[in-house]
Amino acid sequence: MISELKEKLLKLSDEITNSISLCKDLNDLENIRINSLGKKGTITSYLKNLREYDEVSKKEIGALINDIKDKVNNLILEKKSFFKTQILNEKLITEKIDVTLTPYENETGSLHPLSRTIEELCAIFADMGFSIVEGPDIETDYYNFTALNIPYEHPARQEHDTFYLHPDENGNRKVLRTHTSPVQIRTMEKIDLENFDEIRYIIPGRTYRSDHDATHSPMFHQCEGLVLGKNINMGHLKGCLIEFCRTYFNEENLPVRFRPSYFPFTEPSAEVDIGCKKEKDGSLSIGSGEDWLEILGSGMVHPRVLQGVGIDPSKYQGFAFGMGLERLTMLKYGIPDLRPFYDSDLRWLKHYGFVPVDNPSLHSGLNGVFS
Ligand code: DAH
């Protein structure tokens, strides 16, 4: 009986030893370990059955099982380290690092000119007491048009070259906002009329229209302004925008003209022009000369827009304005074409003086151009 058992155990030991020497990878080896030494493994179950034997046999068989166990354990450890070395060697052969290669050069970029303009605008208007708010790029038809007094049949809807999203289950189509003006509505809706004196907001952000040429991009940027209070009038609008134009273009005596215009959401409306000289070669000098250049749209918030958000136009008045940031940036830096704004080309940044020319530094981390 005992000798039969011993024979069985030695046979098992040989089988396991054999399978360890034949096994192909770490997975295989782990399976062998589980099947022999695991909780329900073959060797373990022999150990568990020891209690069935008398004391003398228990000692003899127990010692044999433990010997086999130790042997198998050692063989598994040895094989494991063999596989690990093999994996490492394969990696060393296939993954070469050539330390003699010229390092990859990361040139230092700079803040995108548009980010710069946004920062400048925020600083200029912050000095005049404005706060900054933002709104969503994807808008409902209501905020983008209807609430701004642009009803369904209004011709301004066609002029906006709107990108429409697929209609939802109720047939409502959202739009990529065609201007930042919808955020005026969102901002006014949040006003607590009980505790309200005056608000001054600017709203920079991305806007979208289906239009693409040297001076139009399907995605562009605008900055909206909104001031609302009890005694706000056209004089405030003029003072604020003259101050802005002169500060942004850095021209103390910059001529600024308010030209009557039409926007559905303001009444009266005015387009703001600045004095400039258009040279024969097509270039512009801002601030001197007989010509005028359109910079932004503005007006007193239309009473219907105020009523739409529950504000009584006989108690509160406000003014609003909106401007294209690409255009403002192009004018300030004399950039004729808008398309390279989105190319992330360092040569272009250098050409317009946004990056020091001799600064190809080797460094990692934040680099490149971003908008
Ligand atoms: N939303 C107008 C546009 O995209 C710009 C504009 C004009 C905004 C007059 C205003 C405003 O707030 O009062 O062309």
Side-chain angles (χ1 to χ4, degrees), residues 148 160 178-182 184 209 220 222-225 263 265-266 269-270 296-301 319-323:
L148 288 160
H160 275 216
T178 57
H179 49 175
T180 40
S181 305
Q184 281 189 37
R209 288 184 201 180
F220 57 107
Q222 285 193 343
C223 184
E224 194 81 10
F263 296 104
F265 33 89
T266 45
S269 304
L296 53 88
S298 67
M300 299 303 293
V301 181
F319 68 86
F321 51 90
M323 52 195 134

Side-chain angles (χ1 to χ4, degrees), residues 71-350:
K71 183 178 147 199
V72 169
N73 223 345
N74 287 334
L75 285 175
I76 288 177
L77 286 177
E78 247 171 55
K79 193 78 180 183
K80 205 176 209 170
S81 97
F82 167 79
F83 281 137
K84 285 199 169 159
T85 317
Q86 196 179 40
I87 290 169
L88 183 67
N89 284 339
E90 261 167 35
K91 267 195 182 168
L92 286 173
I93 292 165
T94 51
E95 293 176 15
K96 271 189 206 152
I97 297 172
D98 185 347
V99 290
T100 64
L101 271 180
T102 320
Y104 195 67
E105 274 190 21
N106 276 336
E107 284 193 90
T108 313
S110 74
L111 211 53
H112 192 281
L114 281 171
S115 306
R116 213 150 130 159
T117 299
I118 293 174
E119 283 190 2
E120 257 178 78
L121 256 58
C122 291
I124 295 170
F125 282 105
D127 276 351
M128 291 192 260
F130 283 71
S131 309
I132 302 152
V133 279
E134 289 180 315
D137 289 17
I138 296 175
E139 265 301 1
T140 60
D141 185 279
Y142 173 78
Y143 284 110
N144 197 76
F145 294 121
T146 315
L148 288 160
N149 196 30
I150 314 175
Y152 195 67
E153 68 290 349
H154 199 288
R157 287 212 183 203
Q158 274 69 53
E159 282 159 27
H160 275 216
D161 294 314
T162 314
F163 285 115
Y164 285 93
L165 274 71
H166 286 301
D168 64 15
E169 58 276 11
N170 303 319
N172 297 321
R173 286 188 305 175
K174 287 201 169 162
V175 302
L176 290 182
R177 65 176 178 191
T178 57
H179 49 175
T180 40
S181 305
V183 193
Q184 281 189 37
I185 307 298
R186 290 183 176 276
T187 313
M188 288 192 283
E189 277 178 348
K190 289 199 189 110
I191 293 174
D192 171 10
L193 285 169
E194 305 288 310
N195 304 299
F196 168 61
D197 186 26
E198 188 182 299
I199 53 158
R200 296 178 197 183
Y201 282 121
I202 57 159
I203 308 150
R206 276 186 285 267
T207 43
Y208 306 83
R209 288 184 201 180
S210 178
D211 206 353
H212 201 198
D213 59 31
T215 52
H216 296 90
S217 147
M219 190 279 298
F220 57 107
H221 296 74
Q222 285 193 343
C223 184
E224 194 81 10
L226 175 67
V227 173
L228 195 73
K230 282 211 169 98
N231 293 304
I232 303 294
N233 59 47
M234 197 82 185
H236 296 115
L237 177 156
K238 288 181 76 177
C240 170
L241 293 177
I242 291 173
E243 171 77 13
F244 161 70
C245 291
R246 291 185 174 163
T247 316
Y248 177 74
F249 287 104
N250 217 357
E251 291 275 343
E252 216 177 309
N253 297 312
L254 181 70
V256 179
R257 176 174 83 170
F258 290 79
R259 181 167 38 84
S261 183
Y262 171 76
F263 296 104
F265 33 89
T266 45
E267 184 59 39
S269 304
E271 237 139 344
V272 181
D273 301 337
I274 56 169
C276 68
K277 188 165 195 278
K278 292 177 181 161
E279 308 288 354
K280 286 206 182 74
D281 65 359
S283 66
L284 269 177
S285 38
I286 285 171
S288 53
E290 310 287 285
D291 300 311
W292 293 100
L293 196 67
E294 182 191 317
I295 292 292
L296 53 88
S298 67
M300 299 303 293
V301 181
H302 198 293
R304 222 175 281 157
V305 172
L306 293 175
Q307 274 158 352
V309 289
I311 294 176
D312 182 350
S314 67
K315 284 193 190 141
Y316 297 99
Q317 293 85 38
F319 68 86
F321 51 90
M323 52 195 134
L325 299 185
E326 278 78 356
R327 185 173 160 75
L328 275 186
T329 311
M330 287 163 81
L331 289 172
K332 184 159 175 169
Y333 300 101
I335 304 170
D337 192 333
L338 166 121
R339 287 165 291 200
F341 269 86
Y342 314 107
D343 287 345
S344 291
D345 188 338
L346 275 174
R347 290 167 304 179
W348 178 76
L349 280 176
K350 281 177 189 164

